[in-house]
Amino acid sequence: MSIETKNITTMNNYARWPLAIVKGSGMKVWDEKGKEYLDMTSGIGVTSLGHCPPAVSDALGKQLDTLWHSSNLFQHPLQEKLGEKLVQISGLAQAFFCNSGAEANEAAIKIARRYNQKIKGENRYEVITFTQSFHGRTLATLTATGQDKVKDGFLPLPEGFITVPYGDLEAVKEVATEKTCAVLLELVQGEGGVHPASKEWVTDLFNWCKEEGILFMVDEVQTGIARTGSWFAYQQYGILPDVVSIAKGLGSGFPIGAILATEEVAQAFAPGSHGTTFGGNPLAATAGYATLQAMEEQQMLSHVKRVSVELMHALQQWANQYPEQIKGVRGLGLMLGIETTENADLYVTAAREKGVLLLSAGPKVIRLLPALIVTNKEIEQLLKVLHEVAQEINQVNK
Ligand SMILES: *Cc1c(COP(=O)(O)O)cnc(C)c1O
């Protein structure tokens, strides 16, 4: 296998690793030759219960022989069941399902505009977003994204988005006008380099938005569904947003996304104002419900809280031994970033050769997004490889 292998299915969008994963189980995946890897990526925060979790696999297997698709024109008991579960764990009132994170954020932006224009009768449409954020690849969500590289070559962009520095309340106040309808933010920025927001800033921003009648929308596509040790990251910030978008961890790898909203905001949509062919279909709803149920049964929230402390501690001890190479470790729950002085891809590549899959998030951040079922055993395996890799890179530098 070589990196130059020509690929006709990405239109050059991915610099793919020279590795084809053909099988997965729990924390492990295998390549075509049968080589085993410890997966600390979980498909970029998707396979939260590990690969092919039996509970979800069984539920999907049964559903495959019952009904795959009917459309959103019909009553949909499985979707209702998943919706009720999400309402119960989120404290929000209603759900709308779609197929991806970008689509969820697209729906969030649409409902924010429509709520202001149809319910409040105001001509507000502008959404304030933040530097280094990532919200998706559709035209609206790439415009919302606070990184220039995703916008390159796609002009003209839709109107109505302003990006200000993450963590800066004064900057938000400065750009807000009578046209501002919402803020949209990640509480831990994922793709942008694993940056948790400070509690103080989030509280102040939330309170200010409430005073100004500006909707507070949280992109939990990566942080949601137990990733940070609570069902949603906002629950650790002590706030209840108006709109929340979710996707990655919801279906254990079966494509599904959703927005959740308060009763007040949910009334903004009316028959025909938004829609989807596939969103929340019987297979997706089954995958979502089985995932949440298995997480509850396996007491995933308390497991994540416990194991993430251990992982963070182990990484910090490791980092302390290589002060010239590793600048620090940060994150929340099982969403962790390690800041390196060298290119993070050096670590990612070296670890892969030793059978451990890691991610990067920007040029100098190694990112860990293990399945939530990760245990001490895998943490030990990871740390052994991280020591080897750090020493190798240290040698090369000498
Ligand atoms: C991955 C991600 C998205 C985009 O999700 P897709 O399913 O790839 O469209 C949006 N927001 C955040 C925070 C993400 O991490």
Side-chain angles (χ1 to χ4, degrees), residues 82-100:
L82 175 58
E84 270 163 29
K85 187 89 225 158
L86 286 168
V87 161
Q88 181 213 323
I89 63 176
S90 69
L92 288 160
Q94 294 198 38
F96 183 92
F97 292 100
C98 56
N99 311 288
S100 68

Side-chain angles (χ1 to χ4, degrees), residues 204-219:
D204 292 348
L205 177 63
F206 179 79
N207 290 337
W208 177 81
C209 284
K210 291 287 120 184
E211 281 164 28
E212 298 291 322
I214 293 171
L215 295 180
F216 195 90
M217 309 203 294
V218 179
D219 178 348

Side-chain angles (χ1 to χ4, degrees), residues 307-317 329-332 336:
V307 81
S308 63
V309 170
E310 285 163 15
L311 177 54
M312 177 65 112
H313 182 71
L315 289 173
Q316 259 155 358
Q317 280 194 325
V329 186
R330 58 176 180 254
L332 192 67
L336 296 167

Side-chain angles (χ1 to χ4, degrees), residues 298-371:
Q298 296 175 38
Q299 303 186 328
M300 216 34 90
L301 297 182
S302 53
H303 175 74
V304 171
K305 276 183 208 132
R306 195 170 53 242
V307 81
S308 63
V309 170
E310 285 163 15
L311 177 54
M312 177 65 112
H313 182 71
L315 289 173
Q316 259 155 358
Q317 280 194 325
W318 166 77
N320 289 343
Q321 291 185 41
Y322 309 95
E324 278 148 41
Q325 288 164 259
I326 307 299
K327 286 212 218 150
V329 186
R330 58 176 180 254
L332 192 67
L334 288 174
M335 195 170 165
L336 296 167
I338 301 165
E339 192 155 335
T340 54
T341 51
E342 306 269 342
N343 200 321
D345 284 336
L346 285 174
Y347 291 82
V348 174
T349 303
R352 187 170 71 233
E353 280 159 10
K354 296 178 189 300
V356 174
L357 303 183
L358 308 173
L359 293 166
S360 59
K364 293 190 170 172
V365 179
I366 305 166
R367 179 168 44 150
L368 300 181
L369 284 172

